[in-house]
């Protein structure tokens, strides 16, 4: 595959992960999220990636009909669940959030690298639980799983200082987002 259109996986509600053959010269994945080969552009976070992460980190619970149950915010395990499942750390190599990259993702917090320069059209579109967008200054961050703020270096509640472009509707339809700082 030489080209993946930004709408290739649009509205694939049950898609939990995308795996790319290591021999593909154009694309790769990090734990089921699609990137270009050199990991400078994040292309697609599957809409149901949180289910994959819930299962991976031991938070998956299901009702009698097979639907996944998310813990309530007053659950004593909620903060760990939020870190393991609803928080995504974009690797420090990424300079571009692609068009529709995070569409409909189930996330509460996203950590962006300070080197990010572009959030394309609809890049962070309709993420209902999105509450915080943070920037971190750490280098060589490759783990997308939030382990500790210390691992990210200095962290601040803002879009990255080096951000040059925010596309049309890049942050639209995020009803839980209460604050955004544009440097």
């Amino acid at each position: 595959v030489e080209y993946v259109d930004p709408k290739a996986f649009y509205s694939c509600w049950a898609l939990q992960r995308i795996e790319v053959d290591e021999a593909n010269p154009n694309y790769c994945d990090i734990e089921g999220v699609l990137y270009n080969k050199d990991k400078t552009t994040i292309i697609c976070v599957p809409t149901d990636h949180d289910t994959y992460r819930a299962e991976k980190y031991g938070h998956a619970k299901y009702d009698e009909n097979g639907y996944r149950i998310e813990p309530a915010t007053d659950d004593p395990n909620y903060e760990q669940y939020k870190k393991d499942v609803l928080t995504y750390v974009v690797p420090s190599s990424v300079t571009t959030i692609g068009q529709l990259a995070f569409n409909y993702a189930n996330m509460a917090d996203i950590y962006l690298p300070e080197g990010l320069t572009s959030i394309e059209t609809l890049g962070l579109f309709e993420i209902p639980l999105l509450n915080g967008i943070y920037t971190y200054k750490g280098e060589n961050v490759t783990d997308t799983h939030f382990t500790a703020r210390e691992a990210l270096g200095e962290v601040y509640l803002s879009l990255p200082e080096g951000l040059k472009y925010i596309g049309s509707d890049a942050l639209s339809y995020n009803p839980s987002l209460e604050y955004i700082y544009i440097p």
Side-chain angles (χ1 to χ4, degrees):
V1 174
E2 295 178 6
Y3 177 72
V4 176
D5 188 86
K7 289 186 178 178
F9 303 106
Y10 184 74
S11 298
C12 292
W13 304 114
L15 186 63
Q16 293 181 17
R17 61 191 206 159
I18 299 168
E19 291 186 13
V20 179
D21 188 305
E22 288 183 23
N24 185 299
N26 303 300
Y27 297 98
C28 69
D29 73 278
I30 299 174
E31 293 192 345
V33 174
L34 183 62
Y35 290 81
N36 67 340
K37 190 65 170 190
D38 62 0
K39 300 175 187 158
T40 58
T41 301
I42 186 167
I43 297 167
C44 180
V45 176
T47 304
D48 198 23
H49 191 60
D50 57 301
T51 295
Y52 165 74
R53 289 171 74 108
E55 290 174 358
K56 180 175 181 171
Y57 296 109
H59 296 283
K61 294 180 181 154
Y62 297 90
D63 68 14
E64 65 277 355
N65 297 316
Y67 294 105
R68 188 166 63 86
I69 302 168
E70 289 192 47
T73 55
D74 61 352
D75 184 305
N77 298 317
Y78 182 77
E79 283 306 311
Q80 189 62 46
Y81 171 81
K82 183 178 173 186
K83 288 176 184 176
D84 289 341
V85 178
L86 302 179
T87 300
Y88 193 81
V89 178
V90 175
S92 58
S93 60
V94 172
T95 58
T96 302
I97 302 292
Q99 183 179 359
L100 291 164
F102 282 86
N103 75 97
Y104 308 117
N106 195 21
M107 293 181 187
D109 293 321
I110 296 176
Y111 287 79
L112 303 173
E114 191 168 59
L116 187 75
T117 59
S118 179
I119 301 174
E120 299 296 317
T121 298
L122 301 166
L124 298 168
F125 175 74
E126 199 164 345
I127 307 171
L129 297 177
L130 184 62
N131 186 282
I133 297 176
Y134 300 89
T135 296
Y136 69 89
K137 291 186 175 187
E139 296 178 14
N140 301 318
V141 174
T142 58
D143 190 359
T144 63
H145 176 239
F146 183 88
T147 53
R149 283 184 105 157
E150 296 77 34
L152 301 174
E154 183 182 337
V155 174
Y156 53 97
L157 183 62
S158 169
L159 292 173
E161 291 287 332
L163 189 64
K164 296 177 182 173
Y165 177 76
I166 301 173
S168 173
D169 289 312
L171 295 155
S172 292
Y173 296 97
N174 289 311
S176 296
L177 190 60
E178 296 176 357
Y179 176 84
I180 194 84
Y181 181 77
I182 299 174

